[in-house]
Amino acid sequence: MAFARTCSVALVGVDGVVVEVQADLEPGLAAFSLVGLADKALLEARDRVRAAVSNSGEKWPLRKLTVGLTPASVPKSGSGYDLAVACAVLAAAERLDPASIDGLLIIGELGLDGRVRPVRGVLPSVLAAADAGYRQVVVAEQTAAEARLVPGVSVLGVRSLRQLIAILTNAPVPDEPPDPSTGRPDSSFAGLLLPGLGVRDLSSEPAVRPDLADVAGQYEARRALEIAAAGGHHIYLKGPPGAGKTMLAERLPALLPPLTPTEALEVTAIHSVAGLLPPDRPLIDNPPYCAPHHSTTMPAIVGGGTGLPRPGAVSLAHRGVLFLDEAPEFPVRVLDALRQPLESGEVMIARAAGSMRLPARFLLCLAANPCPCGRYSLRGEGCECTPVMVNRYQARLSGPLLDRVDLQVQVAGVTKAELMQQGVKAESTATVAARVREARARAAARLVDTPWRTNAEVPGHELRTRWQLAPGALADAERDLDRGLLTARGLDRVLRVAWTVADLAGRDRPHRTDVQSALTLRTGVQRAARPTDRRNDPPYPYDDTGVEPGPEQTKEF
């Protein structure tokens, strides 16, 4: 009896589990059995490995062969075990020294000609190998740069099984020709992409990078966008068609600071598992931008699919922006499924084949028209929709969902003067992004000894007890809470936005004006500070409901 073993990795979501690949040869009728809870693609490895070994100039053992993948209770899928299985079989057949592969972790698919093909999820696989104590990893040459992102691991990139056999036997390494698909989309990734999720990189090429200066007018919306980027707050843009909602959303990722090394590894691991990692860009260091179409299904948004779930749009937008254009057109079930990840920053998915946790700490940007025709306003000019149609359209965004959105901004149509003005240059993305970085630096200094990084992540209890506001700053928010105009969650989110407004202004703590700005951005009702000395101040322009009265209703104090 001959026995050999090596290791590979099984992916469960974006987490890796080290799998031991064992090969056993016994006398008997030639047969090849593969056990260990393998899926259809992995069971087909028997034919791929046999053809690859034969076409690499090696003799296939004509005995009873059993390959086991342990732990057997972990579901295993995909073709990334092919290279490890081939090496274990050759070591059991005494073509390789079993000790030469015992400490290796091998990942790669085999073509029938023996060429090693790349697979999805190399980065999280190598991260799992490093955590398990492995220091030598073998991968396909195309994914070697991705694997080398993990520190402390020696990575060997090979083009073919022949090269790996020569390296392990200390023989001259054959010079394999480059992959014939070079210069064209790699066929090994065909079918691995998740179509329709709208993952785009809007910040890689400076020549075509969207700039905030291109947006005409919309000063209030631009300010809200800056606050959203500085504090990581979710934002809802509501206005007529052509007002610039999509333009504003596409410029939001460039306002976010670059990803830290840890965040970059998180984002890259998710995109690697989804098969969306560009071959020429092993590390994603800019915040991702994901804009799925409104016909996208729930598994594609939150993750899922047949068998073991795969990352959805909420995970692909991790540490970046998830933009839902025409948000009321999305199915209600899909929109309400966003509630949990908006609160926890992760999504838990359970299927018959297993359950997993996927990271989903994203900045949500919603955009919507006020009604089906888009022309609805308080004055009702030009709108042909009935009140029932307007209410039904707006009710597609449920109250619990909007309660989790910090900034709700009315985007008015652009006027002719704003659109045609000459010689007036709005602030560029670089200028606003610099202020965002300064505000985030202030927040990071305040949160240095905490597990949170941005104001949007800090629990409301901590904001109310650990960091004190200026005296009387919460007067307006407390009044709205007493009247039922603000929920407890809404009050916490107003506090978070107020801290962001104070950070942008360079203040050490929020004042009443900062809280009023946060309330205005949440409710759309303009606030004004109530005077402390009523004898010498002008008439206060708002009544107790926060609605500006007519001239005959102005109160005198």
Side-chain angles (χ1 to χ4, degrees):
M1 180 181 72
F3 176 82
R5 64 183 177 185
T6 187
C7 287
S8 190
V9 176
L11 286 176
V12 182
V14 294
D15 299 319
V17 178
V18 175
V19 172
E20 188 174 279
V21 181
Q22 303 173 344
D24 176 67
L25 280 173
E26 296 180 356
L29 187 65
F32 186 176
S33 300
L34 196 152
V35 297
L37 204 58
D39 71 345
K40 180 65 175 177
L42 182 52
L43 289 175
E44 292 175 348
R46 295 174 296 187
D47 299 319
R48 289 194 301 270
V49 171
R50 183 186 294 109
V53 169
S54 300
N55 290 327
S56 298
E58 302 295 333
K59 185 177 179 181
W60 183 259
L62 298 177
R63 286 184 285 172
K64 183 181 179 181
L65 171 62
T66 303
V67 174
L69 307 176
T70 59
S73 59
V74 176
K76 304 166 190 71
S77 61
S79 55
Y81 306 89
D82 291 0
L83 189 57
V85 170
C87 290
V89 171
L90 291 175
E94 300 182 352
R95 176 63 180 88
L96 298 175
D97 182 5
S100 65
I101 63 171
D102 196 12
L104 289 181
L105 191 134
I106 305 174
I107 306 169
E109 176 187 332
L110 282 175
L112 300 184
D113 58 351
R115 188 177 296 275
V116 181
R117 310 292 293 169
V119 294
R120 295 183 294 109
V122 168
L123 177 59
S125 299
V126 178
L127 285 171
D131 292 340
Y134 288 86
R135 294 294 175 261
Q136 292 181 312
V137 177
V138 179
V139 297
E141 186 182 51
Q142 297 94 322
T143 56
E146 179 185 346
R148 292 191 180 101
L149 295 174
V150 182
V153 176
S154 175
V155 178
L156 173 62
V158 295
R159 292 183 179 177
S160 66
L161 179 60
R162 285 183 292 270
Q163 283 190 341
L164 182 56
I165 294 173
I167 294 172
L168 295 176
T169 57
N170 295 320
V173 180
D175 186 15
E176 294 284 353
D179 193 330
S181 66
T182 300
R184 303 193 304 272
D186 196 334
S187 59
S188 63
F189 289 104
L192 301 182
L193 301 182
L194 298 179
L197 291 186
V199 179
R200 287 182 280 169
D201 183 5
L202 298 178
S203 55
S204 58
E205 294 295 336
V208 296
R209 183 181 302 169
D211 199 304
L212 200 57
D214 301 334
V215 181
Q218 305 300 356
Y219 303 108
E220 294 181 1
R222 290 165 59 95
R223 174 64 173 167
L225 217 65
E226 180 179 344
I227 294 173
H233 306 288
H234 308 302
I235 184 171
Y236 173 33
L237 303 173
K238 181 178 179 181
K245 302 185 295 296
T246 303
M247 289 184 66
L248 289 165
E250 289 180 344
R251 283 145 182 81
L252 181 55
L255 299 181
L256 301 176
L259 301 177
T260 64
T262 302
E263 293 171 345
L265 287 178
E266 291 177 1
V267 173
T268 303
I270 296 171
H271 285 243
S272 178
V273 169
L276 296 175
L277 191 64
D280 57 344
R281 192 179 173 197
L283 182 66
I284 298 177
D285 52 5
N286 291 319
Y289 175 80
C290 189
H293 190 261
H294 59 76
S295 62
T296 308
T297 62
M298 182 182 292
I301 292 292
V302 300
T306 58
L308 284 177
R310 292 184 180 180
V314 296
S315 297
L316 296 174
H318 181 60
R319 302 296 181 185
V321 176
L322 175 63
F323 176 47
L324 301 186
D325 199 3
E326 304 295 344
E329 302 296 337
F330 281 80
V332 175
R333 292 179 62 253
V334 172
L335 293 173
D336 287 341
L338 299 176
R339 297 184 196 176
Q340 183 218 355
L342 286 177
E343 287 289 332
S344 62
E346 61 183 25
V347 57
M348 299 294 298
I349 304 175
R351 296 290 185 271
S355 61
M356 65 186 63
R357 180 196 65 85
L358 296 172
R361 180 72 64 182
F362 58 90
L363 195 162
L364 177 65
C365 181
L366 300 171
N369 297 326
C371 67
C373 74
R375 296 189 296 271
Y376 174 78
S377 65
L378 294 178
R379 293 176 296 181
E381 296 178 352
C383 180
E384 300 176 354
C385 304
T386 64
V388 175
M389 294 171 60
V390 174
N391 292 335
R392 185 184 296 118
Y393 188 80
Q394 295 181 354
R396 294 180 183 178
L397 298 178
S398 65
L401 174 64
L402 293 180
D403 198 36
R404 291 167 168 82
V405 179
D406 304 342
L407 312 175
Q408 302 181 26
V409 186
Q410 288 285 345
V411 182
V414 182
T415 64
K416 182 180 69 174
E418 292 173 335
L419 192 62
M420 305 303 296
Q421 62 184 352
Q422 300 292 333
V424 178
K425 187 68 173 178
E427 285 187 320
S428 66
T429 295
T431 302
V432 179
R435 291 201 299 267
V436 169
R437 288 193 298 269
E438 293 175 1
R440 287 222 175 188
R442 294 188 186 97
R446 184 173 61 252
L447 305 173
V448 64
D449 295 325
T450 69
W452 313 295
R453 293 182 55 257
T454 61
N455 292 326
E457 300 174 10
V458 183
H461 174 74
E462 297 290 334
L463 290 177
R464 293 190 300 271
T465 59
R466 188 168 182 175
W467 294 285
Q468 296 297 322
L469 282 69
L474 279 178
D476 298 276
E478 291 171 348
R479 186 183 303 109
D480 285 357
L481 182 64
D482 290 339
R483 296 173 178 174
L485 303 177
L486 201 65
T487 64
R489 181 191 291 116
L491 177 62
D492 291 344
R493 294 188 175 275
V494 167
L495 283 175
R496 296 168 183 170
V497 175
W499 274 102
T500 302
V501 175
D503 288 336
L504 285 169
R507 288 189 280 271
D508 58 348
R509 58 178 178 172
H511 293 179
R512 187 171 185 179
T513 55
D514 301 322
V515 177
Q516 290 170 342
S517 297
L519 283 169
T520 299
L521 288 169
R522 182 171 181 82
T523 63
V525 179
Q526 189 68 34
R527 308 286 171 141
R530 288 186 179 272
T532 56
D533 186 358
R534 299 181 176 179
R535 295 172 299 176
N536 302 321
D537 283 322
Y540 183 64
Y542 295 91
D543 62 13
D544 289 339
T545 64
V547 179
E548 185 175 5
E552 70 283 355
Q553 297 174 313
T554 302
K555 294 183 178 181
E556 295 286 341
F557 292 95

